[in-house]
Amino acid sequence: MDIQQIKSEALAKLNAGDITSAAAMFQHALTMAPNDVDCLHMLGELFSRTGQIREAVHFFSAAGVSSNWTLAATTHGFGVALSRLYGTEFTVRRLAYLAWVNARQRYLKPAKTVSPLVSVIVPSYNHARFIGPCLESIYRQTWKRIELIIIDDGSSDDSVERIRALLPACPFPHQFIARGSARENRGAAQTINEAITLAKGEYINILNSDDRFHPQRIEKMVAHIAAIGADWGFAGIEVIDENSHLAPSPADSTSRNLRNIAAMADVAPTIGFALLRNNVAISTGNFFIRATFLREMNGFSDLRYVHDLEFALRATLRSEPVYVSAPLYEYRIHDTNTINEATVRADAETTAMFSRHVEKLFDNNPVANFFAPTRLNWAEHVATFLLRTGFDHFLTPKQLTETAERAVDTSPQVSAGEAIAFLGRIESIESARPLFAAMLTQPHGVQATFDQFQRYGIIARAIDHLRERGQTFSILEVGANTHRLLGKLLPNDKITYLDQEIPAEIAGANDVILGDATNLDMADKSYDIVVALDVFEHILPARRDDFLRHIARVSRLVTLLAAPFDSAAVRAAENDASAYWLRLFHEPYRWLKEHAENGLPDLTKTIRNLADLGLSPIHFGHGRLELWREMLKAHFAAISLPDLRAPSASIDGFYRDHLLMSDGADGADGANGANGDDGQTYRQFLFFSPDKTVMAQLADFPANFKPGKNLPDITAILDVLRAMQQLALVRKNAATGSTNPSTGNALQT
């Protein structure tokens, strides 16, 4: 059988659904022709289908090299396989970026100490009918430290006369250079550069003579850019028509396309990546730039169609822009927009400019902006992004081959190590480096959510604290669960799980019994230890006294109870988490909803009720409220967005290994809070027993969880958790077409 017959039969097997036989036949064909592009490509497809991604990358790479990357299907398959191979690492790097953005917002200076003069530059050319609204939008600015510079670039209409008529109303110092029709039209870039040389402001904002500013444009740009000492940035846009009305947005309209392009700034991995895909700033007039930075950049290149995008791409290599999502720039669409001109020249100019820029991204020269989308900063993710967004035609065969070689030769450990080293160079998130390391490595040990570790990890340690050498216990856990986490943590003890509703997954198991803990049909001291973790708050208030009495009665040694108790701080944290879940899933979160419906138990009353039973509990708090709230919301984010599930699982393990033991609160003895709790933590633990010896053994246990001198700095960790929440919301809103991706997002106003 010749190679063509083998390939034909392999395709037949594949079409019949026999992937294993098809793969074997294509591999056999390769022994006859090792560089056969069809076989290499099909093996890439087959391994990709079966989830063997490294193998898929290998075969797509070989097919691409053999064909010199001339086959679109191979290039596309290679990009898909790369995105899957590096998916988690790419997500982690993106989280690091968003965490850095969040951290940058903490550098805000007090508003009264930030008062830069802003030079507003208007390059005017044949926009007589729009120059009035343009200048009036500057006059109405709420920011008052403005100078206005207008240069008319040889208008042939009556723009000059209209400007002169409007200037007496200008409330700011101003310059107007008008040479009228005698001046040769030099184009926007040269006109802007001329005005830059005249500007005295610390920051410069251009305004195209057919567009407008939102009244708070300069004030908000100062607050978000100048106030953190950033070099440049831009805002969201609104699209207006010739009559200054909000432009309609049918599916095929220019206005809808412009809005969709601008929205990419919210969705792309970074602003730099967004600019690789589209000019998300839309217009030169949307830039707000530090004057010294603009001059260091030598202003704008002399390009007719893409001087704005060329500047943005070039500037991103030096300094990461700030994106202010509020629509502060009003872009006017009309019949003489530059974007409506013949596209052949525009396309040629864009292609030449973009090709030169992509070459810079792959030349391995370091750039000042450590988040710029260069290969040195982002490894293979730059090529992957271009491949996945349809810009593969800007990648040369050499760049694709080098990307393929690195992907094939680099082990996951090396790739993760490079990412960790890169992230460690970013000062504001350096303290989160161990967390990023955990997110980029394989999870180990017992797997559970952080919230389960908060409960079960502490209870398992408390039980071991009581244990004599070789001793085993009989334990009743009130509240059946499918994960049986307590059994995993205490494998030598005999654990029975009780609930009045048995989950289907464990129904009929020998270690599960049906029962009502408020009326237990069991003899006194039936078990050595009774455990009730986050069950008490789900008991109806009228039955809580019965619950305490019964779980204390059937315990021989000690009862270990944990629950959130009522306080304003706990309610606020739960309400915040509930609101985030609602935004993601548009329905209430069942368990927190029950908390609200039942009302959280009163800690002071609970301790008093135990006293009535002759029990004086050991009490301590655990789970700092801010960390609990942000970790729970990050967990919700991972439920919503599959890309976050692997990082989320790693964060849970990181919590177990590095945060659990220090996640208590100072003064966790019940003396600080008005309701008897410590006022700082989410969950309260109550250990009670009539056996004074047992209570004495447990007396020093809470000290294990109080913050010590080596308390990890969680500020950067909180930034990462918020980045996860932000990423999930952005993706959710992008899928639903929402135009308000995220309140509370550091990228937002």
Side-chain angles (χ1 to χ4, degrees):
M1 188 182 297
D2 65 24
I3 189 169
Q4 291 303 325
Q5 290 174 313
I6 294 173
K7 290 195 290 186
S8 295
E9 189 167 331
L11 281 173
K13 293 285 186 185
L14 178 59
N15 292 333
D18 188 352
I19 293 177
T20 302
S21 295
M25 296 188 75
F26 280 121
Q27 286 178 317
H28 175 60
L30 277 183
T31 64
M32 302 169 66
N35 295 319
D36 187 278
V37 174
D38 291 336
C39 289
L40 292 168
H41 174 84
M42 289 308 303
L43 285 168
E45 292 282 1
L46 291 171
F47 280 115
S48 186
R49 288 190 193 185
T50 56
Q52 296 167 276
I53 304 305
R54 294 200 73 84
E55 291 82 357
V57 168
H58 167 76
F59 284 108
F60 280 129
S61 299
V65 171
S66 294
S67 63
N68 199 32
W69 302 97
T70 56
L71 298 179
T74 294
T75 306
H76 174 75
F78 178 59
V80 172
L82 278 181
S83 67
R84 294 176 67 186
L85 179 65
Y86 294 123
T88 296
E89 184 192 322
F90 196 27
T91 298
V92 172
R93 286 177 184 251
R94 184 176 181 189
L95 291 175
Y97 170 75
L98 294 175
W100 175 80
V101 171
N102 291 338
R104 183 164 64 168
Q105 301 307 304
R106 292 199 298 274
Y107 303 150
L108 283 168
K109 301 171 186 175
K112 62 183 179 182
T113 69
V114 181
S115 187
L117 175 66
V118 178
S119 298
V120 176
I121 291 172
V122 178
S124 168
Y125 181 65
N126 283 350
H127 285 149
R129 55 182 172 155
F130 305 129
I131 193 65
C134 167
L135 295 180
E136 287 165 6
S137 76
I138 301 170
Y139 299 170
R140 293 198 304 269
Q141 288 299 298
T142 55
W143 185 260
K144 301 306 179 186
R145 294 210 66 218
I146 289 175
E147 69 160 358
L148 174 61
I149 301 171
I150 310 170
I151 298 181
D152 187 80
D153 190 26
S155 293
S156 58
D157 62 8
D158 61 345
S159 293
V160 171
E161 290 75 15
R162 294 200 182 196
I163 292 169
R164 285 187 174 134
L166 290 164
L167 278 177
C170 180
F172 313 115
H174 54 270
Q175 300 179 61
F176 178 37
I177 298 173
R179 301 190 179 95
S181 58
R183 170 187 169 123
E184 178 188 355
N185 177 250
R186 300 177 185 176
Q190 286 195 33
T191 303
I192 293 167
N193 288 341
E194 181 182 348
I196 290 169
T197 65
L198 304 173
K200 299 183 180 68
E202 184 180 341
Y203 280 85
I204 291 174
N205 202 141
I206 302 144
L207 175 57
N208 296 331
S209 54
D210 52 345
D211 297 337
R212 297 190 313 189
F213 282 160
H214 182 283
Q216 291 181 294
R217 160 79 186 192
I218 302 298
E219 179 183 356
K220 286 187 175 290
M221 298 307 273
V222 167
H224 285 80
I225 298 174
I228 64 172
D231 289 318
W232 72 293
F234 57 92
I237 67 153
E238 191 52 86
V239 182
I240 57 176
D241 64 17
E242 294 187 356
N243 300 311
S244 298
H245 300 140
L246 292 181
S249 55
D252 60 347
S253 73
T254 301
S255 61
R256 177 60 177 266
N257 291 338
L258 289 169
R259 290 186 180 103
N260 288 342
I261 289 171
M264 286 302 302
D266 275 315
V267 179
T270 71
I271 299 300
F273 277 103
L275 288 165
L276 286 180
R277 184 169 181 179
N278 279 303
N279 181 9
V280 291
I282 301 298
S283 169
T284 318
N286 199 12
F287 295 140
F288 186 85
I289 313 168
R290 188 196 298 274
T292 53
F293 178 74
L294 185 53
R295 293 182 180 115
E296 288 168 5
M297 295 285 298
N298 295 316
F300 291 85
S301 298
D302 191 14
L303 299 170
R304 174 166 179 76
Y305 300 100
V306 290
H307 57 276
D308 48 359
L309 178 57
E310 190 274 343
F311 172 83
L313 291 170
R314 188 160 42 95
T316 302
L317 297 179
R318 290 196 176 202
S319 181
E320 186 65 22
V322 175
Y323 171 57
V324 184
S325 70
L328 302 176
Y329 191 79
E330 297 179 356
Y331 182 84
R332 189 187 303 274
I333 54 174
H334 53 88
D335 55 5
T336 58
N337 283 121
T338 305
I339 60 172
N340 293 328
E341 293 184 14
T343 60
V344 175
R345 285 179 56 200
D347 288 348
E349 185 177 278
T350 302
T351 298
M353 179 277 294
F354 202 79
S355 296
R356 290 192 298 270
H357 182 75
V358 170
E359 190 67 34
K360 293 178 186 176
L361 304 185
F362 287 86
D363 64 12
N364 282 330
N365 290 325
V367 296
N369 177 14
F370 44 65
F371 277 122
T374 67
R375 203 217 72 79
L376 203 61
N377 286 345
W378 286 84
E380 314 325 319
H381 304 300
V382 181
T384 303
F385 181 81
L386 292 172
L387 287 166
R388 295 292 285 135
T389 53
F391 286 78
D392 50 285
H393 53 287
F394 286 107
L395 293 167
T396 66
K398 179 184 176 184
Q399 291 163 353
L400 287 166
T401 297
E402 289 175 349
T403 299
E405 289 171 350
R406 285 189 293 264
V408 170
D409 294 341
T410 304
S411 70
Q413 292 78 15
V414 171
S415 180
E418 290 175 348
I420 294 167
F422 164 70
L423 298 174
R425 295 198 303 268
I426 304 164
E427 184 178 348
S428 64
I429 61 172
E430 202 278 334
S431 60
R433 184 174 177 176
L435 176 60
F436 289 123
M439 294 165 74
L440 290 165
T441 53
Q442 198 69 23
H444 66 279
V446 174
Q447 303 300 301
T449 66
F450 85 97
D451 197 52
Q452 290 168 344
F453 282 130
Q454 281 184 336
R455 292 168 275 160
Y456 290 95
I458 290 176
I459 292 302
R461 284 172 170 81
I463 291 171
D464 284 336
H465 195 79
L466 278 176
R467 193 187 310 274
E468 301 292 338
R469 186 169 184 175
Q471 185 178 16
T472 60
F473 296 116
S474 62
I475 301 172
L476 175 69
E477 183 184 350
V478 177
N481 56 71
T482 57
H483 53 70
R484 289 183 169 91
L485 183 56
L486 194 59
K488 295 175 184 176
L489 297 174
L490 302 172
N492 296 322
D493 294 318
K494 182 180 179 182
I495 302 174
T496 303
Y497 304 95
L498 175 141
D499 207 320
Q500 59 184 358
E501 293 181 16
I502 306 298
E505 300 93 317
I506 58 175
N510 293 332
D511 58 352
V512 178
I513 59 175
L514 186 67
D516 179 359
T518 66
N519 186 23
L520 286 172
D521 186 18
M522 296 177 181
D524 294 356
K525 301 181 180 181
S526 296
Y527 292 88
D528 295 329
I529 299 170
V530 175
V531 172
L533 308 180
D534 281 22
V535 175
F536 191 42
E537 70 273 23
H538 295 283
I539 302 296
L540 292 174
R543 305 299 303 275
R544 285 172 180 164
D545 291 352
D546 294 330
F547 179 86
L548 291 173
R549 178 166 53 83
H550 277 281
I551 63 173
R553 178 181 62 77
V554 301
S555 169
R556 184 179 69 85
L557 291 177
V558 67
T559 303
L560 308 175
L561 180 145
F565 285 82
D566 188 50
S567 74
V570 168
R571 272 183 271 117
E574 288 198 347
N575 289 342
D576 186 59
S578 296
Y580 181 75
W581 174 277
L582 187 64
R583 293 179 67 191
L584 286 177
F585 300 104
H586 308 294
E587 62 182 15
Y589 182 59
R590 175 186 174 185
W591 304 115
L592 292 181
K593 181 177 179 232
E594 279 194 16
H595 290 193
E597 290 173 347
N598 287 345
L600 293 174
D602 184 288
L603 183 56
T604 301
K605 179 182 178 183
T606 300
I607 292 173
R608 187 167 60 243
N609 290 344
L610 289 172
D612 292 343
L613 296 173
L615 302 168
S616 180
I618 293 169
H619 158 230
F620 63 98
H622 187 270
R624 283 166 288 176
L625 271 171
E626 185 177 31
L627 183 60
W628 175 86
R629 181 189 67 214
E630 301 306 328
M631 288 202 74
L632 185 63
K633 289 160 66 179
H635 176 66
F636 291 167
I639 294 173
S640 170
L641 183 58
D643 289 356
L644 293 174
R645 289 174 192 172
S648 178
S650 298
I651 290 175
D652 290 329
F654 179 84
Y655 179 88
R656 172 198 64 204
D657 297 336
H658 300 285
L659 296 174
L660 176 67
M661 297 301 291
S662 59
D663 200 16
D666 291 322
D669 56 2
N672 295 342
N675 189 27
D677 69 349
D678 55 72
Q680 303 171 58
T681 54
Y682 175 69
R683 188 175 283 103
Q684 307 300 313
F685 287 81
L686 298 174
F687 298 171
F688 43 92
S689 171
D691 189 324
K692 293 182 179 179
T693 301
V694 170
M695 295 299 285
Q697 283 181 268
L698 289 171
D700 62 344
F701 180 74
N704 292 319
F705 300 94
K706 288 186 179 181
K709 293 181 180 178
N710 297 320
L711 176 66
D713 177 12
I714 65 168
T715 303
I717 293 171
L718 292 172
D719 284 334
V720 176
L721 298 173
R722 289 167 182 146
M724 294 175 68
Q725 301 161 27
Q726 173 179 329
L727 188 56
L729 276 179
V730 164
R731 190 72 61 84
K732 186 79 172 181
N733 288 309
T736 58
S738 169
T739 57
N740 182 22
S742 171
T743 57
N745 178 346
L747 293 176
Q748 314 298 309
T749 56

